[in-house]
């Protein structure tokens, strides 16, 4: 398709891919020419593999295109970051998500909840949350679904915005997260 939404993460509890099931149909109402691409690896944790399989089955019921790419070469993952239009990071809990830094390095705008150090990063949009549960995990609600979807729609619909936000993220990578600086 013309546009691509990318999510790179394994399907561990709290990573939030299942919430994209409520977000993506909202995006599809406004942008119908996108493919949702999930990239993950095989893990030795049955619950994660079961969650991945459940999401794969549900994706078949939607009108938008989707792919779940499992155990692909690292070079192909890097190429996906370079080819995508927006990075969706639905995780409910994090510390410092490397995949968001990879997104920024690739000049790829991102959308995420305010998990971990996300509020200190640039080049993306933070989706609102309603509250945090007893495990300090962000909880999705209708407002969160709407804000997440609107943020994805914005970045898919406005090439100038994609380039602007991608450039802002890349600048922070070069200034703060460059290997020479670290």
């Amino acid at each position: 398709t013309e546009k691509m939404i990318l999510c790179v993460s394994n399907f561990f509890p709290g990573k939030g891919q299942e919430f994209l099931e409520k977000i993506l149909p909202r995006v599809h109402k406004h942008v119908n020419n996108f493919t949702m691409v999930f990239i993950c690896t095989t893990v030795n944790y049955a619950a994660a593999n079961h969650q991945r399989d459940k999401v794969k089955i549900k994706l078949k019921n939607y009108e938008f295109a989707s792919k779940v790419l499992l155990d692909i070469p690292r070079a192909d993952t890097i190429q996906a970051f370079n080819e995508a239009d927006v990075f969706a990071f639905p995780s409910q809990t994090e510390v410092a998500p490397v995949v968001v830094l990879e997104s920024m390095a690739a000049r790829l705008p991102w959308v995420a909840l305010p998990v971990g150090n996300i509020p200190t990063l640039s080049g993306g949009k933070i989706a609102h949350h309603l509250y945090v549960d007893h495990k300090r995990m962000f909880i999705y609600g209708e407002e969160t679904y709407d804000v997440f979807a609107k943020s994805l729609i914005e970045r898919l619909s406005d090439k100038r915005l994609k380039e602007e936000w991608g450039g802002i993220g890349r600048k922070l990578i070069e200034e703060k997260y460059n290997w020479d600086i670290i």
Side-chain angles (χ1 to χ4, degrees):
T1 57
E2 186 180 323
K3 306 280 182 184
M4 178 172 54
I5 301 172
L6 179 64
C7 179
V8 178
S9 70
N10 287 321
F11 286 76
F12 290 112
K15 294 302 178 181
Q17 295 96 334
E18 68 273 19
F19 297 109
L20 289 173
E21 295 171 19
K22 295 218 178 192
I23 294 166
L24 295 170
R26 296 170 196 226
V27 173
H28 187 255
K29 287 180 182 178
H30 301 278
V31 180
N32 59 14
N33 59 341
F34 73 88
T35 300
M36 179 66 227
V37 176
F38 291 93
I39 298 177
C40 56
T41 58
T42 301
V43 295
N44 191 18
Y45 182 56
N49 295 327
H50 178 69
Q51 181 65 25
R52 180 194 65 226
D53 294 342
K54 276 178 43 179
V55 169
K56 281 175 73 171
I57 290 167
K58 287 185 178 182
L59 285 169
K60 292 177 183 178
N61 297 322
Y62 293 113
E63 295 179 16
F64 54 85
S66 64
K67 295 277 182 199
V68 177
L69 304 175
L70 181 63
D71 299 327
I72 66 173
R74 178 73 180 143
D76 293 343
T77 301
I78 292 167
Q79 189 62 30
F81 275 106
N82 289 322
E83 297 295 329
D85 293 283
V86 64
F87 186 74
F89 191 67
S91 188
Q92 296 172 278
T93 183
E94 285 294 332
V95 176
V98 173
V99 290
V100 175
L101 296 176
E102 290 180 303
S103 173
M104 293 164 56
R107 299 180 189 274
L108 179 62
W110 49 266
V111 178
L113 295 181
V115 295
N117 73 331
I118 292 283
T120 69
L121 301 179
S122 301
K125 174 79 173 181
I126 297 175
H128 301 295
H129 65 282
L130 295 176
Y131 58 92
V132 178
D133 74 4
H134 68 283
K135 297 177 192 170
R136 299 197 36 83
M137 289 178 59
F138 286 96
I139 304 300
Y140 279 84
E142 290 302 315
E143 177 189 6
T144 313
Y145 296 135
D146 285 340
V147 171
F148 211 107
K150 286 176 187 172
S151 298
L152 291 173
I153 292 164
E154 263 182 356
R155 273 120 192 103
L156 289 171
S157 302
D158 188 341
K159 186 175 174 75
R160 181 197 54 77
L161 187 63
K162 177 191 178 223
E163 291 171 5
E164 179 183 329
W165 281 81
I168 291 169
R170 176 62 187 221
K171 184 176 183 220
L172 182 64
I173 289 291
E174 291 171 356
E175 292 174 353
K176 188 173 179 181
Y177 295 101
N178 180 311
W179 279 118
D180 295 332
I181 294 168
I182 293 171

